[in-house]
Amino acid sequence: MLVAIISDIHSNYDALKSTLADAEMLGVELYIFCGDMLGYYYMPNECIESLKKNNYIAIRGNHDQIFIDSLVDNKGRDEYRKKYGSSLDITKSVITEENLEWIISLPGHANVTLDGFRIGIFHGSHNSIDEYLYRDVVIERHDDIKKLDFDLICFGHTHHPFHIKIEDKIILNPGSVGQPRNRQPGAHWALLDTMTHEINLMISSYDSSHLISECLKRDPKISYLHEVLVRI
């Protein structure tokens, strides 16, 4: 089976649409989503509904959790706006009841066995939804991580793609579909062959000009939102 491992979509529909098109062309049969459907950008419904049309396993990310928490407690809303922009407010105003229930229902982590290959799925880390495990941190903490009872351990959150092998385990971060931070524009994801265990880091190209225009219109004071999409 070919599996697409994706993470950190952040309501960037153009990026997700390109990713799904490329994955379908390659014959992907299952999508593993490592969290953060929401946050930063502006098209949550379109992203959720596009993923739901496919065979998928999905978990919750920290921005998804921030949104859920904001439904009952708005005390951090002003700080969120200053740091991340208007996406929280826009998501609240447009998300459908069905898609809201879907976000709320997402688990904090998941696992699946495919062709005897055991896969653990996390957002930040196996300890915290909001922990950053960059490549060097994973190497430093290999004694802790290798205790996990999986063949492949998938993390998101950092928006920096990598995969390494620690003894008999593969550690993978597919990068971010919606907001790359590794100075390589495009939608980042990973392709897994469950029989050979081969993993390829992928980049799907897309036209970000529409989203950049939306950022300039909706969040003109937060230049990071559009600059990160094209920086090299």
Side-chain angles (χ1 to χ4, degrees):
M1 177 186 289
L2 289 179
V3 178
I5 302 172
I6 61 177
S7 190
D8 297 276
I9 295 168
H10 290 300
S11 294
N12 183 344
Y13 178 57
D14 291 332
L16 178 60
K17 184 166 57 174
S18 176
T19 299
L20 294 176
D22 285 353
E24 182 179 4
M25 184 174 62
L26 290 168
V28 163
E29 298 177 61
L30 174 69
Y31 294 83
I32 291 177
F33 174 53
C34 302
D36 269 4
M37 179 64 73
L38 306 180
Y40 293 109
Y41 303 118
Y42 316 112
M43 300 184 73
N45 288 315
E46 292 83 354
C47 290
I48 294 170
E49 288 158 12
S50 293
L51 181 61
K52 285 163 62 177
K53 290 177 182 177
N54 297 279
N55 184 24
Y56 69 87
I57 298 168
I59 65 168
R60 183 185 304 179
N62 64 302
H63 280 266
D64 306 323
Q65 187 63 56
I66 289 169
F67 173 74
I68 293 168
D69 292 344
S70 76
L71 299 175
V72 295
D73 185 357
N74 276 322
K75 65 182 180 181
R77 184 172 55 186
D78 291 340
E79 182 180 347
Y80 187 96
R81 285 195 193 109
K82 290 177 184 178
K83 188 173 182 180
Y84 303 115
S86 62
S87 63
L88 184 67
D89 296 319
I90 290 170
T91 299
K92 280 187 175 183
S93 69
V94 302
I95 195 165
T96 66
E97 188 65 31
E98 182 180 350
N99 289 336
L100 174 59
E101 291 176 2
W102 184 84
I103 285 288
I104 293 172
S105 73
L106 293 176
H109 56 85
N111 63 80
V112 64
T113 300
L114 302 171
D115 297 320
F117 197 53
R118 301 166 301 164
I119 304 172
I121 308 159
F122 306 91
H123 184 66
S125 77
H126 53 295
N127 294 317
S128 169
I129 198 173
D130 202 22
E131 183 177 10
Y132 290 88
L133 291 185
Y134 294 97
R135 181 189 180 99
D136 58 340
V137 177
V138 168
I139 293 171
E140 289 172 3
R141 293 182 50 193
H142 70 277
D143 284 338
D144 175 35
I145 293 171
K146 73 182 183 182
K147 294 175 184 176
L148 297 175
D149 193 24
F150 301 107
D151 303 303
L152 170 64
I153 303 163
C154 302
F155 299 119
H157 195 42
T158 67
H159 298 215
H160 283 259
F162 72 87
H163 67 98
I164 59 174
K165 192 161 187 180
I166 296 177
E167 296 183 6
D168 60 343
K169 301 183 187 302
I170 302 170
I171 317 299
L172 167 69
N173 189 316
S176 172
V177 168
Q179 191 192 83
R181 295 177 185 165
N182 59 324
R183 297 184 181 273
Q184 288 185 279
H188 292 250
W189 56 287
L191 183 68
L192 165 70
D193 185 319
T194 61
M195 291 299 292
T196 65
H197 305 165
E198 180 180 1
I199 295 173
N200 288 290
L201 296 176
M202 314 291 288
I203 305 177
S204 293
S205 61
Y206 71 98
D207 183 356
S208 61
S209 60
H210 172 73
L211 179 55
I212 290 171
S213 296
E214 287 293 299
C215 293
L216 292 170
K217 179 175 71 174
R218 296 177 185 273
D219 294 298
K221 294 182 179 180
I222 307 179
S223 59
Y224 170 82
L225 289 175
H226 65 269
E227 289 175 351
V228 71
L229 297 171
V230 294
R231 69 181 181 183
I232 56 175

